[in-house]
Amino acid sequence: MINESVAKLVRYSQLHHLTEREDETYIVNSLMTALGMTEFTWPDSVGEDVCACELDLEAILGELCDYAYENGRIAENTVAYRDLFDTMLMGILTPRPSDVIRTFHGLYEKNPAAATDWFYDFSRATDYIRTYRVKRDLKWVTPSVYGDIDITINLSKPEKDPKAIAAAKLAPQSGYPKCPLCRENEGFSGNLRAAARENHRILPITMAGEPWFLQYSPYVYYNEHCIALSGEHRPMKIERKTFARMLDFVEAFPHYFIGSNADLPIVGGSILSHDHMQGGHYTFAMENACIEVPISFAGYENVSAGIVRWPMSVIRLDSTDKDALVALADKILSAWRGYTDASAFVFAETDGEMHNTITPIARRRGEMYELDLVLRNNITTDEHPLGVYHPHAQYHNIKKENIGLIEVMGLAVLPARLKDEMKLLAEAVLAGQTPADVPAIAHHAAWFDGFANRYSFDAENVDEILRQEIGRTFVGVLEDAGVYKCTAEGREAMLRFVRSVGA
C-alpha cells in the first residue's frame, strides 16, 4: 500500500511538471527517507499510462500521513501535524526558486497573463494552495442597490486543534521568519507556530524602484488571489510611494488589480507589521460601480475624478498619466490625514491618536490607469467601542471583524461558524422554533426577528432566504463602514472634503 502511495505521488509530480522522469529514482529515495522506508518496489498498479485525473492528491497525501503516523514520523494524528508533514513531502517535489523564476520570466517575455496563469497553476500543483480545501468554502452572490455582492464563508483555513494550541504555547519562541509575509518563509519547514512552506515559491518584482515579491494567497478568496510583499519587514504605511508601487504593478500586470489595506488598526487588515498588497484576476462589484458625482481638482485637468456609487466613501481617479495620478492621490491622502469636520463626525485625531487613512486600489481600464481611494476613519466611542465606521453591534452575529481591502471591494469573508449556525437555524425554523429557543444560535434571535415576518419558510426556500439575508446584512456592514453615508447630507459632507483638497 505504501509503495503504491509513493508511486502515485511521483507520477503526480511528473504529470504536473514538478519533476522529470529522469528525477524518478532520486525523488523516490527522498520520499523514502522522509517516510522512514527501507524498501521500495514500483507497483504494477501505477503504470506509465496513469492519468492525472486518477490521482487524487488529497487522498494520496492522506495515505502517506497515515503511514507516517503509524510509523512514528508524526507526533500527533491532527491537522496541524499532518500539514507540517505533507508539506515537507511536497517540498521534495517542488522545483528550486531559481528554476521557478527562470520559467516565469521566460513566459512573461511573451505574455504577462500566460506567466501568471502558469505560476497560479504551479502554486496549486505543489499543494501550496490546497485546492481541495478551497472548494469547501461556501460562496454565493447577493443582489443589492450597489451591484452584485460576493459572499463567502471561509472553510479552507483549518482551525488549530487543542493539542496543537497547547504544544505551540510550550514551543520555543523564534524570530525567524519575523511574520507570515516575510520572504524567509520560502522553503521554511514550519512548526506549530508558523505554517510549513517547503512548497512555497515567490517571484522577485520591482515596484517604485524597490525589491518586492509576488506570491499567491494559500486561501484564494477570489480568482488568482495574489500578494505583493515588501522585501523588507516593515510596518504597513500608506504614502505617496504606495500609489507609485501600485501603478507600477498594474503596468507590469495589466490583467490584475492591486490594492492595499489601510495602515491603522480597526480599518486595516490582520497583518499591519509587514508592508504588503493584495491583487488578482477578479472583478469586484466596486469596480463595476459607476460615478455618482463627477468632481475635479484644479491643476489636474488630465485626471478625471468622481465619487463612486458605493456604500463606502470612494474617490475614483482615471488618467493615462501615472505621475499625475500619484501626485493627486498623495494630495488627497495628505488632505484627508489632517481633515476634521465635526458636523460629519470626522476627526483627524483625538488625544494624539490619528484616525484618518485610505484604502487604495489600482487597476487598468484599457490604456487608462485607475485609482480608487477609499476614505477610512478608525475613531471609537462609548456607543461603538470597536469603531464608529466598523460593523455595528447589530451585525456582529454575522460580521464582527475588521473591514479590510477585500470586504471594501464587495466580497464578504465570513467566519466558518456560520455554516453550522445557519444549518441549526434552518432546522429550528422548520421545526416551528425561533433562534431564542436554541442556545447555540440564540445570538441570531434579534437578527432573525428583523426579517422573519417577510417570508413563509419551507424546506425548499429556507437556506436561500438565510443566504440572501446574510448578504443584505453585509451590505449594511459596508454602509456602517462608510465615513460618508449615501444620502444627500452624506454627499454634501464628502464634497466639503473634496473642496478642501484644493484649498
Side-chain angles (χ1 to χ4, degrees), residues 162-224:
K163 287 185 177 180
I165 293 172
K169 288 181 179 178
L170 299 175
Q173 295 281 356
S174 171
Y176 183 91
K178 293 180 180 178
C179 81
L181 292 179
C182 283
R183 60 179 296 189
E184 289 81 10
N185 283 279
E186 184 178 36
F188 183 60
S189 61
N191 51 55
L192 293 177
R193 293 179 179 272
R197 291 290 183 253
E198 287 105 324
N199 57 348
H200 176 44
R201 298 294 179 262
I202 60 178
L203 298 170
I205 58 176
T206 300
M207 300 198 301
E210 296 176 352
W212 281 60
F213 294 87
L214 180 66
Q215 66 175 60
Y216 287 103
S217 166
Y219 307 116
V220 195
Y221 292 134
Y222 50 85
N223 187 47
E224 296 181 46

Side-chain angles (χ1 to χ4, degrees), residues 101 152 163 170 191 206 225 323 327 333 353 371 430 448 458 473 498:
I101 293 168
T152 180
K163 287 185 177 180
L170 299 175
N191 51 55
T206 300
H225 178 182
D323 293 337
L333 171 65
E353 179 185 356
L371 282 176
L430 294 178
F448 179 77
D458 58 43
T473 298
V498 169

Side-chain angles (χ1 to χ4, degrees), residues 31 34-35 83-93 196 198:
L31 291 172
L35 289 159
D83 280 2
L84 289 170
F85 189 81
D86 68 20
T87 302
M88 176 185 66
L89 298 182
M90 293 305 298
I92 292 170
L93 312 177
E198 287 105 324

Side-chain angles (χ1 to χ4, degrees), residues 72-315:
R73 311 297 284 189
I74 297 178
E76 298 283 352
N77 194 25
T78 63
V79 171
Y81 284 96
R82 290 169 73 96
D83 280 2
L84 289 170
F85 189 81
D86 68 20
T87 302
M88 176 185 66
L89 298 182
M90 293 305 298
I92 292 170
L93 312 177
T94 303
R96 293 196 176 195
S98 56
D99 294 328
V100 176
I101 293 168
R102 188 179 304 110
T103 300
F104 180 85
H105 283 170
L107 291 168
Y108 182 88
E109 291 301 318
K110 299 174 183 176
N111 186 318
T116 54
D117 285 348
W118 172 82
F119 188 44
Y120 186 59
D121 288 342
F122 170 85
S123 299
R124 290 187 293 180
T126 64
D127 208 37
Y128 166 69
I129 297 173
R130 295 178 184 260
T131 306
Y132 42 86
R133 287 184 183 168
V134 174
K135 288 179 179 177
R136 298 171 191 162
D137 290 349
L138 302 181
K139 298 181 180 182
W140 67 91
V141 173
T142 295
S144 80
V145 295
Y146 306 105
D148 288 342
I149 304 299
D150 293 310
I151 310 295
T152 180
I153 294 179
N154 175 32
L155 304 174
S156 58
K157 188 173 183 179
E159 296 183 15
K160 288 189 176 181
D161 57 86
K163 287 185 177 180
I165 293 172
K169 288 181 179 178
L170 299 175
Q173 295 281 356
S174 171
Y176 183 91
K178 293 180 180 178
C179 81
L181 292 179
C182 283
R183 60 179 296 189
E184 289 81 10
N185 283 279
E186 184 178 36
F188 183 60
S189 61
N191 51 55
L192 293 177
R193 293 179 179 272
R197 291 290 183 253
E198 287 105 324
N199 57 348
H200 176 44
R201 298 294 179 262
I202 60 178
L203 298 170
I205 58 176
T206 300
M207 300 198 301
E210 296 176 352
W212 281 60
F213 294 87
L214 180 66
Q215 66 175 60
Y216 287 103
S217 166
Y219 307 116
V220 195
Y221 292 134
Y222 50 85
N223 187 47
E224 296 181 46
H225 178 182
C226 68
I227 299 172
L229 56 97
S230 171
E232 176 187 359
H233 179 77
R234 66 187 185 212
M236 295 283 292
K237 184 179 181 182
I238 304 299
E239 57 184 344
R240 183 187 183 99
K241 288 193 77 172
T242 302
F243 308 124
R245 295 178 194 120
M246 293 169 65
L247 295 180
D248 277 0
F249 182 91
V250 296
E251 182 173 33
F253 304 101
H255 56 297
Y256 275 10
F257 78 90
I258 191 85
S260 174
N261 270 305
D263 53 359
L264 294 178
I266 297 177
V267 296
S270 58
I271 299 178
L272 294 176
S273 61
H274 195 118
D275 201 1
H276 69 285
M277 302 178 189
Q278 297 179 76
H281 198 182
Y282 192 73
T283 301
F284 291 86
M286 192 174 83
E287 180 177 343
N288 288 330
C290 63
I291 296 295
E292 181 178 330
V293 182
I295 56 179
S296 60
F297 296 91
Y300 296 92
E301 286 71 23
N302 61 342
V303 178
S304 63
I307 296 172
V308 179
R309 179 171 172 72
W310 191 245
M312 301 191 69
S313 307
V314 186
I315 296 174

